[in-house]
Amino acid sequence: MAERLYTTGEFAKKANVSVRTIRYYDKQGLLKPSKINDAGYRLYSDEEFAHLQKILTLKYLGFSLEEIQMIALNEKSNDFVKSSLKMQEKLVRSKIEGLQLVEKALVETSRILEEENAVDWKAILHLIHMIGMEKSLAEQYKTGANTSVRIRLHRDFGVNPEGWFPWLFRQLELQEEQSVLEIGCGNGEFWMVNAAKIPMGSQILLSDISSGMIEDAKEKLAAYSVFSYEVFDCHSIPLEAETFDRVVANHVMFYLKNMDMALREIGRVLKPDGLFLCSTYGNRHMKEISEMVKEFDERINLSEVSLSEMFGLENGGEILKKYFRDVRCVHYEDELMISKTGPILDYIMSCHGNQQEYLGNRYDEFRVFLEQKMKKKGLLHITKDAGAFLCREPILK
């Protein structure tokens, strides 16, 4: 039986969407026609109809077009789709909680207005804050998902048998009965990997500016009683001076808006004989991936700013010496040997640059480009240039 084909108008009517929607998904590279006839008409089959239903379902669940494109690239990967759905479940629950806070603030503000017949601007500001918190949840979880993508790439393809997290934990030199503060803990993966090695009597406070990340860490580490959690900005740490034996900042320093303010706060809460451990990248880190995307399209930048220029292995020591008398840099020896294109694509799309703009309509072309590179070289060797600074004797000013 001949395959039934539909014009754009017929296809849109069958799917109960507008022709404009079909054309938009086509332009974005999400839904391509089965064929284009001699007259130039775009024709769609039942297979494209099934694909459209998948797109519409994911869109209804709250996935962005960029995330839908990622799922399309990984549609054979159950792990990727499962993790994406799990992220959406958390987001929906958090949105419900956030909207409940907004509702409570609205009710309270309205009550005050009715009873006092005057605007309570303090209450209005509180309401704005609640709405802002609710709107930021999506970005928090998107950030968490992107971080997980990058962690998996290094975990699965690094050649050093001692993974990054165990190596970093060893640098911490944590002893029994010591207290630890982590700045920007993310989802708590660092501690999950090293949980069995935590000394007796440790007291570990995990902090992050993102409440969503803190909730993820709580869930991941629920079985361990040594952890406590707080949401705060490390530029103003709401804790007593000389409280902690160890302070950890894993790939955090280059995101700080005010390095001076944050380092003064870290030095303040660290004990005089304590250790501040902060990790970062060097300027050669993952250079082959950046070179590949540039070769494909020179307009692509995987980061809006160079993180290593903000705070890297090359310049971090000079920055830290203004706040600590004893600063030592240690390097983590490793490289990636990658045999699959999927994880590289995931990594590239998780970056904070402009790749979505230039790869949005060229996913298939870029995948073929990477596959050709892989076929030619067998394995892709990716440079890792990472390490940490061990800082002691804070200089209090």
Side-chain angles (χ1 to χ4, degrees), residues 23 162 265 284:
R23 289 174 177 165
E162 182 180 32
E265 281 291 272
R284 298 181 301 112

Side-chain angles (χ1 to χ4, degrees), residues 259 263 311-324 327-329 389 391:
M259 191 84 66
L263 284 170
F311 182 90
L313 293 177
E314 293 78 14
N315 63 4
E318 289 304 310
I319 294 172
L320 291 164
K321 285 176 183 177
K322 299 175 184 177
Y323 305 90
F324 298 89
V327 176
R328 183 165 65 94
C329 181
F389 291 99
C391 310

Side-chain angles (χ1 to χ4, degrees), residues 64 66-67 87 137-147 356:
S64 68
E66 290 84 2
E67 290 163 336
M87 181 190 74
L137 287 169
E139 191 58 38
Q140 291 173 8
Y141 279 105
K142 185 176 180 182
T143 298
N146 288 342
T147 300
Q356 298 284 356

